[in-house]
Amino acid sequence: MTDRESAERLAERCEGILRIPPLAAETTWSLICRLADGYGQEPSCLLGHWRWENHQPRHPGGAPRADTEVLLIAAGRALLARLCGIDEETLRHALPSWEHEEDGLSSPAKADAPQALWRAGSAVIGPVAFGCRLCTGRRTGQSVRVVRYAERWERVCGRHRRWLLDADADQPLENLDLRGSPETVAAQRRWGAVGRRAQRAGVEPGKVFALARAVVCRWWEHSLHWEQEEMWPHRLQQASCGKVGGDVERWRAVARDAVIFPEVVAVAGALLDRGVEELVWTDSGGAGQRPLTGERPLRPLPRRAGGTSLARASGRGRRRSCDHVEGSRHPAAAG
């Protein structure tokens, strides 16, 4: 019996037993894990149904990467669709990696076999984050881990007040608690308006966000007197449910994007402000390509972003953050 015939027999036996629909932007591996859970099995029990051309990605310490992705050829995709009880068109729309193939899967001699390749999702499609288990349970009836492709401005679960962490890090947390940080949830809503402003200005919203994040991350890195800060330490304690204790550096690394998100959105909005644009344009010499060397273009940002804590945090960092900004007609275009 050929590999394809074996796979088809398995699919026929399982067809109609379960229906496991995909979640929007889910990784294919995440769907396979949920499929295994539906059958009451570990994901490893399903792996034998595909012919694997390499090994599962792991962290240096040996732990499997949560952002693992699976690439399948047509026969492998057909098998998964039948196991899930879902048509391939639905899976194609939901799973970003569904039709992503690489050279390792293109051998004509193996075209009939359900071949599969392991990859890191972040290297295939883009940023990968954990989903919200409460949302997953509500939508699918399975309260299990889900991994999805999500940009950094899509990390707030407004319904359950959670921040969805990156899935590529070697750490056990999936989400952070935002119930004590309503400003972070509100910033997610404000980002929609900022993104639309960027589009009207002819700039990619992602570039505006990237530049704003680079600026605020510099301020974060150069907050030398952390104990004198007001907003960020409080927000960090809230996100960690008060678990920071003496492990400040670890929590600063894990929770940074969640803690600074309101300021990133505020700075992104300020970068689209006409006054800031003119300051950058003037300092760049009107049409120059040289990096900005002064503080002046970023000086209004703490005030426009709101809050004395941000202004204090930006003290040493804002000069160096100027190095990220090119002298283009619109500052966001330099991101």
Side-chain angles (χ1 to χ4, degrees):
M1 183 183 300
T2 67
D3 289 333
R4 184 171 185 174
E5 290 171 340
S6 177
E8 286 179 349
R9 288 197 176 185
L10 169 70
E12 288 171 1
R13 290 198 303 270
C14 295
E15 197 166 12
I17 296 178
L18 286 179
R19 186 174 186 276
I20 306 293
L23 297 171
E26 188 174 13
T27 66
T28 302
W29 175 237
S30 174
L31 175 62
I32 291 174
C33 290
R34 290 198 299 110
L35 175 64
D37 180 77
Y39 284 109
Q41 298 179 329
E42 291 296 318
S44 58
C45 296
L46 295 183
L47 298 185
H49 304 314
W50 288 274
R51 175 179 286 181
W52 299 93
E53 303 297 327
N54 60 349
H55 298 287
Q56 185 175 1
R58 294 180 179 273
H59 290 292
R65 291 177 62 113
D67 68 335
T68 290
E69 183 55 291
V70 170
L71 306 182
L72 305 170
I73 64 167
R77 294 195 295 267
L79 171 59
L80 180 58
R82 295 179 73 176
L83 290 174
C84 291
I86 304 294
D87 63 275
E88 289 195 50
E89 185 65 14
T90 298
L91 294 172
R92 184 178 71 82
H93 281 290
L95 306 179
S97 70
W98 185 249
E99 292 183 335
H100 188 100
E101 293 191 9
E102 295 184 3
D103 292 342
L105 289 174
S106 59
S107 172
K110 301 178 181 178
D112 287 343
Q115 290 175 267
L117 272 179
W118 295 105
R119 286 289 184 263
S122 54
V124 175
I125 303 296
V128 184
F130 293 106
C132 171
R133 290 197 183 217
L134 295 178
C135 286
T136 301
R138 179 172 170 269
R139 294 171 184 168
T140 70
Q142 295 176 288
S143 212
V144 296
R145 187 179 80 179
V146 166
V147 182
R148 301 173 56 247
Y149 293 99
E151 296 290 351
R152 294 186 187 278
W153 54 83
E154 302 173 321
R155 299 300 180 85
V156 174
C157 172
R159 179 183 294 273
H160 299 111
R161 301 294 192 267
R162 292 185 173 190
W163 179 268
L164 312 179
L165 288 167
D166 288 330
D168 62 353
D170 189 7
Q171 58 88 26
L173 296 176
E174 297 178 19
N175 305 149
L176 296 175
D177 191 348
L178 297 180
R179 289 175 294 178
S181 304
E183 67 275 19
T184 304
V185 180
Q188 178 81 82
R189 294 192 294 267
R190 289 199 309 276
W191 167 251
V194 174
R196 289 190 293 273
R197 283 177 58 200
Q199 289 176 327
R200 289 195 297 270
V203 184
E204 292 181 26
K207 288 187 175 182
V208 179
F209 187 90
L211 177 56
R213 181 172 176 269
V215 170
V216 179
C217 282
R218 235 3 135 85
W219 292 341
W220 171 274
E221 291 167 7
H222 290 85
S223 293
L224 302 181
H225 303 288
W226 181 256
E227 67 281 358
Q228 296 178 15
E229 285 298 319
E230 298 170 6
M231 292 189 300
W232 286 345
H234 172 74
R235 217 178 276 159
L236 186 64
Q237 285 288 354
Q238 293 293 324
S240 69
C241 297
K243 297 176 182 177
V244 173
D247 204 4
V248 175
E249 290 308 311
R250 171 180 172 266
W251 280 103
R252 274 173 56 99
V254 170
R256 181 191 64 182
D257 281 330
V259 172
I260 69 174
F261 185 64
E263 285 69 55
V264 172
V265 173
V267 169
L271 287 171
L272 293 168
D273 185 279
R274 184 70 177 181
V276 174
E277 178 181 355
E278 290 303 326
L279 286 171
V280 174
W281 178 245
T282 301
D283 249 38
S284 67
Q289 297 300 315
R290 64 180 176 81
L292 297 176
T293 55
E295 283 191 5
R296 198 157 62 87
L298 293 180
R299 190 171 295 152
L301 295 188
R303 175 173 52 81
R304 292 170 191 262
T308 56
S309 180
L310 177 61
R312 185 160 52 249
S314 69
R316 286 187 55 181
R318 63 183 176 186
R319 178 181 295 275
R320 296 191 182 184
S321 63
C322 291
D323 295 339
H324 289 278
V325 186
E326 293 286 335
S328 63
R329 183 64 184 91
H330 199 295

